[in-house]
């Protein structure tokens, strides 16, 4: 069974699938084509309309038979909301999705980060890739209930009232500042990936680091990634309100100062309030980078073309991959993907309207940024992408690795264990595995060629008898990744294993989930 995290995906077998979300939740589903829009009200499956071709809702269970879905159906998005509309999701346990196959075998499970002020979550989606179907974990939230979700997916909503629990921030010039977003990073906030180790001398005739009877492999606890829908992802929730009263031209909405005359971002309207907020938080200012702006423009344009917020295109290109393609190798990265605000100033105000989103904007690790907004030609809605990053450098890589080791040794000291020493061969193997996961777009201890942690350590020249590995992706700082590992029993066991004496750290950015981390132990 796969333990998924925001942005994680897994292939699905043929046959009928059962998706269950136990607990005090209402379950519903939206059936869409590649555009992300429904064809009619019949594509919205909920308690008052519990069936559609290929999909049926029975209490907390949704059964889906992909081959019987209506012609053109390419996605089934699972939505959860509180069974009691007066109870915010933040007061309930985080919903857990359980997916089983036609033979009753458990296929996947996903528990998103606990919602805050969101009133509804896009929990996961089934999507077609070629002739096969896959499951992707989402965790994207809305503050305006099913009405907001339905509107975004093209369902006609006749009654437009603000549901209990929806919030809005005051916009400059009066009126509510409203918007919606995938939050401060697709894939951020989930637990790290599987911890795995080989026991000393395990198995009959096992060589150094070889797997055997004493090998321990913790159940995968997931990864911190967004999103991607993607990262990945927790959502800075809000209402989508289209820009009004102006003619849409290029990347500007006349009647509101969205950009400079050449279509670039309004540096006064964007950098001014951004750096003011960062200064108040004690963080250094950021400066615009042309490569980040180009990647942001590409991603905002892709979202506007679909009329859908997402950290990934239908072809599977993530916002992080766009950054690398623009020629910007990064050490750490974050993003805001939002629609609704009409000006850069309103966009910044929206990003400051929730704690998690504010943390990304004010993160001291970032020193460069890029901003773009592109209108949906059909509706006029503005789709915004802001990227926050620190560029890669060898010195930055070494500094980050040292911080991970220092934090790891702090945890060992708290448990009364001796510190781990940096090891060049383990570092080489760890860095190679992180780079390989990015280059070949996978996330696992076992590489596509079949090599495992002890194989990679030996290939790098390591002769240590016991080898262990922790991996993670999507975390943006050493503190975040070590904290995630310590919150997972399997990874914690590797960090606190007395037999380990040495360590190597690797990290690389640029694939679908952001930064991929590897922690390799030897003893």
């Amino acid at each position: 069974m796969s333990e998924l995290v925001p942005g994680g995906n897994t292939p699905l077998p043929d046959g009928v699938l059962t998706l269950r979300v136990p607990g005090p939740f209402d379950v519903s589903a939206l059936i869409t084509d590649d555009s992300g829009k429904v064809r009619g009200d019949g594509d919205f499956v909920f308690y008052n309309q519990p069936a559609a071709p290929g999909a049926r809702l029975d209490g907390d269970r949704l059964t889906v038979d992909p081959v019987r879905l209506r012609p053109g159906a390419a996605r089934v998005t699972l939505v959860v909301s509180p069974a009691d509309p007066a109870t915010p999701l933040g007061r309930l346990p985080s919903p857990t999705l359980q997916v089983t196959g036609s033979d009753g075998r458990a296929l996947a499970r996903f528990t998103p980060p606990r919602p805050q002020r969101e009133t509804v979550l896009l929990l996961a989606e089934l999507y077609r890739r070629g002739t096969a179907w896959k499951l992707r974990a989402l965790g994207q939230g809305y503050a305006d209930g099913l009405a907001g979700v339905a509107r975004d997916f093209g369902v006609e909503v006749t009654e437009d009232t603000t549901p209990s629990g929806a919030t809005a921030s005051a916009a400059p010039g009066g009126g509510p500042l409203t918007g919606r977003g995938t939050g401060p990073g697709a894939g951020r906030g989930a637990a790290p990936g599987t911890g795995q180790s080989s026991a000393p001398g395990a198995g009959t005739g096992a060589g150094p680091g070889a797997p055997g009877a004493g090998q321990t492999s913790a159940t995968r606890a997931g990864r911190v990634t967004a999103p991607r829908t993607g990262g990945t992802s927790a959502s800075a929730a809000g209402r989508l309100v289209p820009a009004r009263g102006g003619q849409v031209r290029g990347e500007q909405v006349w009647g509101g100062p969205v950009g400079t005359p050449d279509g670039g971002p309004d540096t006064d309207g964007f950098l001014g309030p951004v750096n003011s907020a960062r200064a108040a938080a004690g963080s250094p200012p950021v400066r615009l980078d042309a490569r980040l702006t180009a990647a942001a423009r590409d991603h905002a344009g892709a979202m506007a073309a679909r009329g859908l917020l997402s950290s990934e295109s239908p072809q599977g290109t993530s916002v992080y991959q766009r950054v690398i393609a623009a020629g910007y190798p990064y050490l750490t990265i974050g993003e805001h993907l939002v629609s609704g605000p009409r000006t850069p100033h309103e966009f910044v105000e929206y990003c400051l309207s929730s704690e998690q989103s504010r943390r990304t904007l004010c993160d001291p690790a970032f020193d460069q940024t890029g901003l773009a907004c592109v209108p949906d030609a059909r509706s006029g809605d503005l789709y915004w992408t802001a990227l926050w990053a620190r560029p890669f450098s060898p010195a930055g890589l070494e500094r980050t690795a040292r911080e991970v080791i220092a934090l790891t040794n702090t945890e060992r000291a708290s448990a009364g264990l001796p510190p781990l020493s940096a090891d060049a061969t383990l570092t080489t193997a760890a860095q190679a595995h992180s780079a390989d996961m990015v280059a070949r777009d996978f996330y696992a201890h076992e590489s596509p060629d079949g090599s495992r942690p002890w194989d990679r350590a030996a290939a790098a020249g390591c002769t240590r008898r016991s080898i262990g590995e922790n991996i993670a992706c999507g975390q943006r700082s050493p503190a975040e990744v070590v904290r995630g590992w310590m919150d997972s029993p399997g990874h914690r066991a590797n960090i606190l294993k007395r037999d380990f004496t040495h360590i190597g750290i690797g990290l690389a950015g640029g694939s679908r989930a952001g930064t991929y981390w590897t922690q390799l132990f030897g003893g």
Side-chain angles (χ1 to χ4, degrees):
M1 182 180 69
S2 297
E3 289 278 358
L4 296 179
V5 296
N9 63 77
T10 186
L12 295 169
D14 295 337
V16 177
L17 303 162
T18 300
L19 293 80
R20 184 184 177 219
V21 185
F25 306 104
D26 277 337
V27 177
S28 53
L30 291 141
I31 301 167
T32 59
D33 52 27
D34 285 324
S35 72
K37 302 291 186 180
V38 298
R39 289 187 177 178
D41 291 350
D43 283 346
F44 192 9
V45 179
F46 65 114
Y47 50 86
N48 278 341
Q49 184 173 274
R56 176 171 292 277
L57 181 64
D58 183 10
D60 61 5
R61 286 179 171 83
L62 176 74
T63 56
V64 179
D65 188 351
V67 300
R68 296 185 180 276
L69 293 171
R70 64 152 171 86
R75 293 174 187 264
V76 179
T77 303
L78 188 73
V79 182
V80 295
S81 56
D84 177 4
T87 303
L89 280 174
R91 295 183 184 177
L92 300 175
S94 193
T96 294
L97 170 64
Q98 302 167 359
V99 183
T100 56
S102 56
D103 59 357
R105 180 171 59 93
L107 301 175
R109 184 170 57 195
F110 169 55
T111 303
R114 187 173 182 177
Q116 300 299 315
R117 63 192 183 100
E118 296 91 340
T119 58
V120 64
L121 285 179
L122 304 186
L123 189 57
E125 65 179 2
L126 307 179
Y127 66 100
R128 188 176 61 207
R129 183 62 58 86
T131 59
W133 285 78
K134 302 181 75 174
L135 172 74
R136 176 181 292 128
L138 299 179
Q140 178 182 335
Y142 287 71
D144 55 345
L146 289 174
V149 177
R151 289 187 188 96
D152 283 358
F153 281 76
V155 177
E156 184 70 22
V157 178
T158 57
E159 182 177 347
D160 187 12
T161 60
T162 302
S164 174
T167 59
S169 302
L177 168 62
T178 57
R180 62 187 172 89
T182 64
R188 179 171 179 164
T194 317
Q196 189 172 49
S197 66
S198 67
T204 303
Q215 172 186 340
T216 61
S217 178
T219 301
R220 178 178 297 178
R223 53 180 175 178
V224 174
T225 146
R228 75 187 170 251
T229 49
T232 171
S233 59
S235 181
R239 283 286 309 281
L240 179 148
V241 174
R244 295 182 175 87
Q247 179 181 358
V248 176
R249 296 184 181 181
E251 293 184 7
Q252 303 176 62
V253 174
W254 301 104
V258 172
T260 59
D262 63 358
D266 174 8
T267 56
D268 291 333
F270 177 62
L271 283 185
V274 163
N275 283 330
S276 176
R278 289 177 64 86
S283 298
V286 292
R287 63 186 186 278
L288 286 168
D289 180 271
R291 296 163 297 176
L292 289 175
T293 297
R297 184 180 298 112
D298 286 346
H299 196 74
M303 292 192 299
R306 298 175 65 198
L308 181 68
L309 285 172
S310 176
S311 63
E312 185 177 298
S313 73
Q315 294 74 36
T317 302
S318 77
V319 65
Y320 313 111
Q321 290 168 315
R322 295 184 193 279
V323 171
I324 295 297
Y328 189 102
Y330 61 83
L331 189 65
T332 185
I333 195 166
E335 74 283 337
H336 285 96
L337 311 176
V338 177
S339 69
R342 295 155 300 214
T343 68
H345 187 82
E346 286 188 3
F347 171 79
V348 174
E349 286 294 314
Y350 177 73
C351 293
L352 292 171
S353 66
S354 72
E355 180 58 31
Q356 188 175 20
S357 183
R358 178 189 292 268
R359 282 201 302 270
T360 293
L361 187 146
C362 296
D363 193 325
F366 303 136
D367 60 8
Q368 295 181 346
T369 186
L371 173 73
C373 69
V374 178
D376 179 341
R378 296 155 297 188
S379 67
D381 299 344
L382 288 174
Y383 284 80
W384 297 80
T385 298
L387 296 169
W388 317 87
R390 179 180 292 273
F392 174 86
S393 68
L397 176 65
E398 292 180 8
R399 181 177 62 252
T400 303
R402 286 197 302 269
E403 290 177 18
V404 174
I405 294 174
L407 290 168
T408 300
N409 281 334
T410 296
E411 298 294 345
R412 288 177 63 89
S414 297
L417 297 171
L420 303 172
S421 300
D423 180 275
T425 59
L426 292 174
T427 299
T428 297
Q431 184 61 36
H433 189 54
S434 287
D436 191 31
M437 287 191 289
V438 168
R440 291 200 274 182
D441 191 20
F442 73 97
Y443 179 72
H445 291 290
E446 184 172 341
S447 301
D449 59 14
S451 65
R452 304 184 75 177
W454 32 88
D455 303 318
R456 295 187 290 270
C462 179
T463 58
R464 301 190 183 280
R465 186 164 174 256
S466 180
I467 294 294
E469 181 180 83
N470 288 341
I471 59 175
C473 63
Q475 298 92 337
R476 295 173 183 169
S477 69
E480 190 176 338
V481 73
V482 173
R483 182 171 61 250
W485 278 327
M486 287 299 294
D487 287 342
S488 169
H491 305 85
R492 180 185 179 93
N494 275 343
I495 288 174
L496 301 183
K497 188 171 181 177
R498 184 174 296 274
D499 291 341
F500 289 146
T501 57
H502 290 75
I503 189 173
I505 303 297
L507 60 141
S511 194
R512 298 187 186 188
T515 301
Y516 287 65
W517 304 76
T518 301
Q519 190 179 43
L520 196 59
F521 305 90

